[in-house]
Amino acid sequence: MSIIKSEENSNQDQNPRITWEGCNVLLDINDGDRVLFARLTTGSKIKIGNKNCSLQPLIGCPFGSSFQVEDGKEGPVLSRVLQSTEGTNLQIMEESRDNRRLVDNNSAQSLTGEDIDEMRRKGASGDEIVKALIANSATFEKKTAFSQEKYLLKKQKKYAPRVLLRRPFARSICEAYFKKHAEKIGFLRVDTLSLLLSFANVSAYSDVLVVDMLDGIITGAVAERLGGTGYVCNTYCGVTPYPINIVRMFNFNNDICQRIVHSSVSELHSSENGTSPSIDQLEDACNIRSQPNEQISSPSAQHAVSMEENEDGNMEIMTDVSASPKVVKGTKAGRKAPVEAIKLWMENGFSSLIIAAPNLDVWDTVKEVLPLLSYSASFAIYHQYLQPLATCMHNLQAEKMAIGLQISEPWLREYQVLPSRTHPHMQMSATGGYILSGTRICSSDQTQTK
């Protein structure tokens, strides 16, 4: 039985650039054709094509390593592939060849399927099969250098699939979710996430208040930027915190996990005013009608189950089904906020505020949590649609609660950057959502009221 020192924080003394047993990784198969999250243990396996491969060879390897499926003595194995410059440094020259005379009539390849099956039975590797396909192609030498490279990559994905070992951090996690299951993170794009952190002025030693109903992607990104300094307090309406399952994938150590806390809006307001408003009042303010937060945050609250049950989907959580490793619990992210920290926040206020709650009314939520922010502090509110933010912006102006208000719509288009063929991608996402940002102020009306 394998022993994992800590479920979430076994990397306290680990090199963050190298994998270890028990850590979470992001596996990119065939350049984005399939993306999955996995937890590295000696018994964990993934299925690539019709082959089950153990993840044990990935333990102790640097993030960014590439692996290829090969046939071993005991079955398919993942073998590490050293980066080679062969086939990547194409000479930039005037190309006299073109593809105008090539006709795709399925007669250029003399190697049949039976021949390929025979090579596999004799133990031929995927690379050997690809080389045989090139050697038996009547049109390969007539193709341009760029077409040859595309042909090589296409055959390699089929006969010699590769796995890229990626480190799960805010950008890679957000990109993976947005590409396959954008609804689970409220259609939050990676450039929108970065703008949220910038508009909210999240930096080291900040005390950031977040309303995160995107399953923890905001909480994890803030904690990653804080780097074990300051606090990220996940507040909520009701009696139970919103789920932050995605935070588990960041491989945070104990120092960072201790800085991820939660406290309800009721507790924060009672500490500030010396009163204890009822839960029903806060639920009414946030348009909640006696339903638990796990249901409110749907569909992201069910992400762990749906990703495990997704057999044909392109994103999964791989678990060890053949062994039950003994786990020694470590510090868990999302503990109750300490009383001392709450008192300090009530004296000085939070330094930043981020709201990403698509299932709550934006203005009602802002009225409850904005007073917890210190004066002259920045805030940023994300929503998939424009109108809720426009209404909130109008009310903030009318109530004179903030200045510098603006609504931003991020725009992102990826480019292919390759020798002699750099161009924008033909397809792109239509929108990454909207952000309302501003700075809290103390108006004369609020001073007179106090």
Side-chain angles (χ1 to χ4, degrees):
M1 179 180 293
S2 60
I3 298 178
I4 302 174
K5 294 182 179 179
S6 172
E7 183 178 15
E8 296 187 17
N9 308 291
S10 59
N11 60 337
Q12 182 67 23
D13 300 321
Q14 296 285 346
N15 185 347
R17 298 181 182 272
I18 299 178
T19 63
W20 63 94
E21 186 175 0
C23 74
N24 296 302
V25 297
L26 179 61
L27 302 180
D28 188 332
I29 302 176
N30 283 337
D31 194 22
D33 288 351
R34 183 180 171 206
V35 180
L36 59 90
F37 294 97
R39 188 162 180 260
L40 296 186
T41 63
T42 56
S44 297
K45 293 184 178 181
I46 61 171
K47 188 173 184 180
I48 303 177
N50 58 352
K51 299 179 180 180
N52 289 318
C53 303
S54 173
L55 295 181
Q56 186 174 7
L58 278 63
I59 300 176
C61 296
F63 285 106
S65 302
S66 182
F67 296 83
Q68 183 172 301
V69 181
E70 295 182 356
D71 293 326
K73 296 181 180 180
E74 299 180 357
V77 295
L78 289 173
S79 177
R80 186 176 175 185
V81 179
L82 298 179
Q83 297 297 329
S84 173
T85 58
E86 182 181 357
T88 57
N89 294 331
L90 298 176
Q91 295 182 357
I92 303 176
M93 61 179 65
E94 292 294 332
E95 182 84 53
S96 59
R97 296 173 297 177
D98 55 44
N99 299 332
R100 73 179 70 181
R101 299 183 184 277
L102 300 181
V103 180
D104 188 9
N105 54 9
N106 295 327
S107 62
Q109 182 57 251
S110 59
L111 199 65
T112 64
E114 291 76 9
D115 297 333
I116 296 176
D117 293 337
E118 181 64 23
M119 292 180 64
R120 284 175 170 170
R121 283 192 292 268
K122 292 181 179 180
S125 64
D127 289 335
E128 292 175 345
I129 295 177
V130 172
K131 291 180 180 178
L133 288 170
I134 294 176
N136 288 272
S137 175
T139 58
F140 183 80
E141 296 298 331
K142 300 178 183 179
K143 296 176 181 288
T144 64
F146 301 143
S147 296
Q148 289 178 356
E149 185 181 17
K150 291 178 64 176
Y151 179 88
L152 178 63
L153 291 176
K154 181 180 179 180
K155 298 303 180 183
Q156 187 181 64
K157 287 183 178 181
K158 183 175 181 179
Y159 297 103
R162 293 195 175 185
V163 178
L164 178 62
L165 180 62
R166 299 181 61 187
R167 181 169 68 92
F169 59 104
R171 175 174 179 173
S172 61
I173 293 175
C174 186
E175 287 178 339
Y177 268 90
F178 187 83
K179 184 176 182 180
K180 301 299 182 182
H181 295 283
E183 72 281 356
K184 297 183 184 296
I185 57 171
F187 298 90
L188 179 70
R189 204 168 54 194
V190 63
D191 58 318
T192 310
L193 176 60
S194 62
L195 282 178
L196 269 176
L197 301 180
S198 299
F199 284 150
N201 195 27
V202 177
S203 58
Y205 299 97
S206 299
D207 291 330
V208 185
L209 180 66
V210 298
V211 182
D212 184 2
M213 296 183 68
L214 305 184
D215 213 14
I217 184 66
I218 302 294
T219 304
V222 172
E224 182 182 80
R225 177 165 291 195
L226 293 180
T229 64
Y231 278 97
V232 49
C233 179
N234 199 335
T235 189
Y236 53 93
C237 300
V239 294
T240 56
Y242 303 131
I244 53 172
N245 299 309
I246 295 180
V247 174
R248 296 179 305 157
M249 303 176 186
F250 281 84
N251 294 322
F252 287 144
N253 56 32
N254 288 332
D255 294 335
I256 297 180
C257 286
Q258 290 175 354
R259 300 290 178 168
I260 303 175
V261 297
H262 68 81
S263 181
S264 68
V265 176
S266 173
E267 293 170 331
L268 295 177
H269 276 288
S270 63
S271 300
E272 179 186 38
N273 304 325
T275 59
S276 180
S278 64
I279 297 296
D280 293 336
Q281 291 176 340
L282 290 173
E283 288 181 346
D284 291 340
C286 296
N287 287 346
I288 303 175
R289 292 294 184 269
S290 64
Q291 51 183 332
N293 290 337
E294 288 81 355
Q295 297 178 3
I296 300 169
S297 56
S298 176
S300 62
Q302 290 83 16
H303 100 285
V305 176
S306 63
M307 291 174 68
E308 289 177 354
E309 293 178 348
N310 183 13
E311 297 179 354
D312 59 345
N314 293 324
M315 183 182 296
E316 305 166 355
I317 290 182
M318 302 302 299
T319 56
D320 183 2
V321 297
S322 61
S324 298
K326 183 179 180 180
V327 177
V328 180
K329 294 288 185 178
T331 303
K332 186 177 180 180
R335 63 188 179 98
K336 185 74 173 178
V339 179
E340 297 78 9
I342 294 179
K343 291 181 179 179
L344 185 63
W345 294 330
M346 293 310 101
E347 293 177 1
N348 303 322
F350 289 92
S351 56
S352 300
L353 169 64
I354 298 179
I355 300 176
N359 296 307
L360 299 181
D361 183 82
V362 176
W363 169 237
D364 289 340
T365 305
V366 169
K367 285 191 300 183
E368 293 296 324
V369 299
L370 192 62
L372 302 173
L373 195 62
S374 62
Y375 295 120
S376 300
S378 302
F379 64 88
I381 308 169
Y382 168 78
H383 204 281
Q384 180 186 356
Y385 303 111
L386 175 62
Q387 187 56 45
L389 297 182
T391 303
C392 181
M393 179 178 179
H394 172 76
N395 293 333
L396 286 172
Q397 291 173 332
E399 298 291 337
K400 299 181 180 179
M401 299 173 62
I403 60 172
L405 295 171
Q406 64 175 5
I407 297 180
S408 306
E409 181 185 8
W411 193 87
L412 176 70
R413 187 166 192 175
E414 296 184 7
Y415 275 70
Q416 171 183 289
V417 181
L418 292 171
S420 299
R421 43 188 170 153
T422 297
H423 61 76
H425 285 183
M426 298 298 102
Q427 295 181 346
M428 58 177 287
S429 60
T431 178
Y434 301 87
I435 300 176
L436 170 60
S437 59
T439 303
R440 191 203 173 192
I441 61 171
C442 178
S443 65
S444 57
D445 296 340
Q446 292 174 331
T447 305
Q448 294 174 2
T449 304
K450 291 183 178 180

